[in-house]
Amino acid sequence: MTKIAQKDIRNRLLRRLPEEAFDHIASDLKPIDLPVRRSLVEPNQPIEHLCFIESGLASMVAAASTGIGIEVGQVGYEGMSGYPVLLGVDKTPNRTFMQVSGDGLELPTSRFLPLLRDEATRLMFLRYVHTRELQLAHSALAAGRYNMHQRLARWLLMCHDRLLVDDMPVTHEFLALMLGVRRSGVTDHLHILEGIRAIKSTRGKVQILNRQVLLDVADGCYGAPETEYERLLGFVSSDDQRPARLKGTWNA
């Protein structure tokens, strides 16, 4: 198997990994396609592989025993699936699956865990867990204290951060599932954002017209986790790789 060069990787965690640590796992990283709906973490099943996303968008969903679920986190090229293993657990009740398809690098958990013996590497990944917890905390803040079009603006901004394109392949049905509301409610609030020329919504796609307007609408429910990620894990490089294209979406 051809060894993957760190400089060619788009995933921000792998790019920031100490060179010696990366070399330890480089030959075990397996490039994989990530089609829409592909499961990265199944609920209550051992996390045997981690996925470092290169492009596309994954959602972490919490579900009740009745089947009712809601998104509690997003993962794109800034992160990884299966991060609970960093906390010493082997499984989680939450499910993680692809919302917008792309590609990634898969690594057996058994090959990843030895990396944590190195203090600098362990600290980097624990900082990533901290940013994930902040994302969840601010999802709760948004749900409890902000109205629907503000929550929708936040969610679209988070997608925009990870997909890096203005034409984002997301459906009204999927937005409703992720935000835990009726489809008709999502459609109404998309119209509000269209009315102020922040977005343009068509079947299966939302186009960002003015990011600043979305930022103004989202107000304080967006920004803190993102700022903390850049403070702790920001990686500035003249040859920083970013996802070049998208490959599809879920038409619910």
Side-chain angles (χ1 to χ4, degrees):
M1 182 181 295
T2 304
K3 184 177 178 180
I4 297 172
Q6 191 172 16
K7 65 180 179 62
D8 296 330
I9 284 176
R10 298 188 296 271
N11 182 272
R12 294 185 74 183
L13 291 178
L14 290 180
R15 293 270 293 177
R16 202 180 190 282
L17 200 62
E19 184 178 351
E20 184 177 349
F22 180 83
D23 288 343
H24 183 74
I25 61 171
S27 61
D28 297 300
L29 290 167
K30 176 186 175 183
I32 57 171
D33 287 328
L34 298 174
V36 175
R37 298 197 194 188
R38 170 160 179 161
S39 181
L40 302 179
V41 177
E42 279 293 312
N44 300 311
Q45 296 297 314
I47 302 172
E48 297 180 343
H49 293 86
L50 309 177
C51 182
F52 295 89
I53 294 176
E54 293 270 270
S55 68
L57 180 67
S59 289
M60 179 183 291
V61 175
S65 58
T66 58
I68 298 173
I70 191 169
E71 184 184 72
V72 293
Q74 288 186 6
V75 187
Y77 82 112
E78 88 296 341
M80 59 185 283
S81 69
Y83 77 88
V85 302
L86 293 162
L87 301 176
V89 298
D90 63 344
K91 54 189 174 183
T92 173
N94 296 333
R95 182 185 179 216
T96 303
F97 64 99
M98 295 303 295
Q99 172 186 327
V100 177
S101 61
D103 62 282
L105 295 166
E106 188 177 69
L107 179 69
T109 303
S110 60
R111 294 293 296 155
F112 171 78
L113 291 178
L115 293 181
L116 303 181
R117 297 170 188 160
D118 175 69
E119 183 177 355
T121 300
R122 183 172 65 254
L123 179 60
M124 188 197 83
F125 281 111
L126 288 177
R127 285 174 170 173
Y128 174 64
V129 172
H130 168 65
T131 66
R132 299 290 305 168
E133 294 302 308
L134 277 179
Q135 187 184 119
L136 174 58
H138 280 257
S139 294
L141 174 64
R145 294 294 185 180
Y146 287 81
N147 61 40
M148 179 50 60
H149 68 275
Q150 290 174 307
R151 291 173 57 198
L152 179 57
R154 172 182 181 263
W155 196 89
L156 292 172
L157 285 165
M158 291 170 64
C159 290
H160 198 222
D161 290 343
R162 289 160 176 81
L163 296 177
L164 300 166
V165 294
D166 292 334
D167 292 319
M168 303 190 302
V170 293
T171 66
H172 293 199
E173 291 86 353
F174 201 92
L175 285 166
L177 172 63
M178 294 299 97
L179 293 168
V181 297
R182 295 180 182 274
R183 183 188 184 282
S184 59
V186 166
T187 301
D188 290 343
H189 287 282
L190 284 170
H191 288 329
I192 292 175
L193 296 180
E194 284 187 298
I196 58 176
R197 296 198 55 76
I199 65 167
K200 179 181 180 181
S201 177
T202 56
R203 182 177 177 83
K205 183 183 294 185
V206 175
Q207 180 184 9
I208 305 297
L209 298 178
N210 192 322
R211 182 178 170 92
Q212 185 57 53
V213 173
L214 283 181
L215 288 166
D216 293 340
V217 171
D219 197 15
C221 70
Y222 170 86
E226 291 74 19
T227 298
E228 192 74 343
Y229 184 100
E230 293 303 326
R231 182 179 77 86
L232 297 173
L233 296 166
F235 183 73
V236 179
S237 172
S238 60
D239 63 347
D240 193 12
Q241 299 293 311
R242 298 210 168 194
R245 64 185 182 278
L246 302 176
K247 298 180 181 177
T249 187
W250 171 12
N251 292 313

Coordinates of all heavy atoms in Angstrom, one line a residue, residues 10-41:
R10 N -6.1 16.7 3.5 CA -6.9 17.9 3.7 C -7.4 17.9 5.2 O -7.7 19.0 5.7 CB -8.1 17.9 2.7 CG -7.7 17.9 1.3 CD -8.9 18.1 0.4 NE -9.8 17.0 0.4 CZ -9.7 15.9 -0.4 NH1 -8.7 15.8 -1.3 NH2 -10.6 15.0 -0.4
N11 N -7.6 16.8 5.8 CA -8.1 16.8 7.2 C -7.2 17.6 8.1 O -6.0 17.4 8.2 CB -8.2 15.3 7.7 CG -8.8 15.3 9.0 OD1 -8.1 15.3 10.0 ND2 -10.1 15.1 9.1
R12 N -7.8 18.5 8.8 CA -7.1 19.4 9.6 C -6.4 18.8 10.9 O -5.3 19.2 11.3 CB -7.9 20.6 10.1 CG -8.4 21.5 8.9 CD -9.2 22.7 9.4 NE -8.3 23.7 9.9 CZ -8.7 24.8 10.5 NH1 -10.0 25.1 10.5 NH2 -7.9 25.7 10.9
L13 N -7.0 17.8 11.4 CA -6.4 17.1 12.5 C -5.1 16.3 12.1 O -4.1 16.4 12.8 CB -7.4 16.1 13.2 CG -8.5 16.8 14.0 CD1 -9.4 15.7 14.5 CD2 -8.0 17.7 15.1
L14 N -5.2 15.6 11.0 CA -4.1 14.9 10.5 C -3.0 15.8 10.1 O -1.8 15.5 10.2 CB -4.5 13.9 9.4 CG -5.3 12.7 9.8 CD1 -5.6 11.9 8.6 CD2 -4.7 11.9 10.9
R15 N -3.4 16.9 9.5 CA -2.4 17.9 9.1 C -1.6 18.5 10.2 O -0.4 18.8 10.1 CB -3.1 19.1 8.3 CG -3.7 18.7 7.0 CD -2.7 18.8 5.8 NE -2.4 20.2 5.6 CZ -1.6 20.6 4.7 NH1 -0.9 19.7 3.9 NH2 -1.3 21.9 4.5
R16 N -2.3 18.6 11.4 CA -1.6 19.2 12.6 C -0.9 18.2 13.4 O -0.2 18.6 14.4 CB -2.7 19.9 13.4 CG -2.2 21.0 14.3 CD -3.3 21.7 15.1 NE -2.8 22.9 15.8 CZ -2.1 22.8 16.9 NH1 -1.8 21.7 17.5 NH2 -1.7 24.0 17.5
L17 N -1.1 16.9 13.1 CA -0.5 15.9 13.9 C 1.0 16.0 13.9 O 1.6 16.3 12.8 CB -0.9 14.5 13.4 CG -0.8 13.3 14.3 CD1 -1.7 13.4 15.5 CD2 -1.2 12.0 13.5
P18 N 1.7 15.8 15.0 CA 3.2 15.8 15.0 C 3.7 14.9 13.9 O 3.2 13.8 13.7 CB 3.6 15.4 16.4 CG 2.5 15.8 17.2 CD 1.2 15.7 16.4
E19 N 4.8 15.2 13.2 CA 5.3 14.4 12.1 C 5.6 13.0 12.5 O 5.2 12.1 11.7 CB 6.5 15.1 11.5 CG 7.0 14.4 10.3 CD 8.2 15.1 9.7 OE1 8.6 16.2 10.1 OE2 8.9 14.5 8.7
E20 N 6.2 12.8 13.6 CA 6.5 11.4 14.0 C 5.3 10.6 14.3 O 5.2 9.4 13.9 CB 7.4 11.5 15.3 CG 7.8 10.1 15.8 CD 8.7 10.2 17.0 OE1 9.2 11.4 17.4 OE2 9.0 9.2 17.6
A21 N 4.3 11.2 14.9 CA 3.0 10.5 15.1 C 2.3 10.2 13.8 O 1.8 9.0 13.6 CB 2.1 11.4 16.0
F22 N 2.3 11.1 12.9 CA 1.7 10.8 11.6 C 2.4 9.7 10.9 O 1.8 8.8 10.3 CB 1.7 12.0 10.7 CG 1.1 11.8 9.3 CD1 -0.3 11.9 9.2 CD2 1.9 11.5 8.2 CE1 -0.9 11.6 7.9 CE2 1.3 11.2 7.0 CZ -0.1 11.3 6.9
D23 N 3.7 9.7 10.9 CA 4.5 8.6 10.2 C 4.2 7.2 10.8 O 4.2 6.2 10.1 CB 6.0 8.9 10.4 CG 6.5 10.0 9.5 OD1 5.7 10.4 8.6 OD2 7.6 10.5 9.8
H24 N 3.8 7.2 12.1 CA 3.5 6.0 12.8 C 2.2 5.3 12.2 O 2.1 4.1 12.2 CB 3.3 6.2 14.3 CG 3.0 5.0 15.1 ND1 4.0 4.0 15.4 CD2 1.9 4.5 15.6 CE1 3.4 3.1 16.1 NE2 2.2 3.3 16.2
I25 N 1.3 6.1 11.7 CA 0.0 5.6 11.2 C -0.2 5.7 9.7 O -1.2 5.2 9.1 CB -1.2 6.3 11.9 CG1 -1.2 7.8 11.6 CG2 -1.2 6.1 13.4 CD1 -2.5 8.5 12.0
A26 N 0.7 6.4 9.0 CA 0.6 6.7 7.6 C 0.2 5.5 6.7 O -0.6 5.5 5.9 CB 1.8 7.4 7.0
S27 N 0.9 4.4 7.0 CA 0.7 3.2 6.2 C -0.6 2.5 6.5 O -1.0 1.6 5.7 CB 1.9 2.2 6.4 OG 2.0 1.8 7.7
D28 N -1.2 2.9 7.6 CA -2.5 2.2 8.0 C -3.7 3.1 7.6 O -4.9 2.6 7.7 CB -2.5 2.0 9.5 CG -1.5 1.1 10.0 OD1 -1.5 -0.1 9.5 OD2 -0.6 1.5 10.8
L29 N -3.5 4.3 7.1 CA -4.6 5.1 6.7 C -5.2 4.6 5.3 O -4.4 4.5 4.4 CB -4.2 6.6 6.5 CG -3.9 7.3 7.8 CD1 -3.1 8.6 7.6 CD2 -5.1 7.6 8.7
K30 N -6.5 4.3 5.3 CA -7.1 3.8 4.1 C -8.0 4.8 3.5 O -9.0 5.2 4.1 CB -7.8 2.5 4.5 CG -8.6 1.9 3.3 CD -9.4 0.7 3.8 CE -10.3 0.1 2.7 NZ -11.2 -1.0 3.2
P31 N -7.8 5.3 2.3 CA -8.7 6.2 1.6 C -10.0 5.5 1.3 O -10.0 4.3 0.8 CB -8.0 6.5 0.3 CG -6.5 6.2 0.5 CD -6.5 5.0 1.5
I32 N -11.1 6.1 1.6 CA -12.4 5.5 1.4 C -13.4 6.6 0.9 O -13.3 7.8 1.2 CB -13.0 4.9 2.7 CG1 -13.1 6.0 3.8 CG2 -12.2 3.7 3.2 CD1 -13.9 5.5 5.1
D33 N -14.4 6.1 0.1 CA -15.5 7.0 -0.3 C -16.5 7.0 0.8 O -16.7 6.0 1.5 CB -16.1 6.4 -1.6 CG -15.2 6.7 -2.8 OD1 -14.5 7.7 -2.9 OD2 -15.3 5.8 -3.8
L34 N -17.1 8.2 0.9 CA -18.1 8.3 2.0 C -19.5 8.8 1.3 O -19.8 10.0 1.3 CB -17.7 9.4 3.0 CG -16.4 9.0 3.8 CD1 -15.9 10.2 4.6 CD2 -16.6 7.8 4.6
P35 N -20.2 7.8 0.8 CA -21.5 8.2 0.2 C -22.5 8.6 1.2 O -22.4 8.4 2.4 CB -22.0 6.8 -0.4 CG -21.3 5.8 0.4 CD -20.0 6.4 0.8
V36 N -23.5 9.3 0.8 CA -24.6 9.8 1.6 C -25.2 8.6 2.4 O -25.4 7.5 1.8 CB -25.7 10.5 0.8 CG1 -26.9 10.9 1.7 CG2 -25.1 11.7 0.2
R37 N -25.5 8.8 3.7 CA -26.1 7.8 4.6 C -25.1 6.8 5.1 O -25.4 6.0 6.0 CB -27.3 7.1 4.0 CG -28.4 8.0 3.6 CD -29.7 7.1 3.4 NE -30.7 7.8 2.8 CZ -32.0 7.4 2.6 NH1 -32.3 6.2 3.0 NH2 -32.9 8.1 2.0
R38 N -23.9 6.8 4.6 CA -22.9 5.8 5.1 C -22.7 6.1 6.6 O -22.5 7.2 7.1 CB -21.5 5.9 4.5 CG -20.5 5.1 5.2 CD -19.3 4.8 4.3 NE -18.3 4.0 5.1 CZ -17.4 3.3 4.6 NH1 -17.2 3.2 3.3 NH2 -16.5 2.6 5.4
S39 N -22.8 5.0 7.4 CA -22.6 5.1 8.9 C -21.2 5.0 9.2 O -20.4 4.2 8.7 CB -23.4 3.9 9.5 OG -23.3 4.0 10.9
L40 N -20.7 5.9 10.0 CA -19.4 6.0 10.5 C -19.3 5.4 12.0 O -18.3 4.8 12.3 CB -18.8 7.4 10.5 CG -18.8 8.1 9.1 CD1 -18.3 9.5 9.2 CD2 -18.0 7.3 8.1
V41 N -20.3 5.7 12.7 CA -20.4 5.1 14.1 C -21.8 4.6 14.3 O -22.8 5.4 14.2 CB -20.1 6.2 15.2 CG1 -20.2 5.6 16.6 CG2 -18.6 6.7 15.0

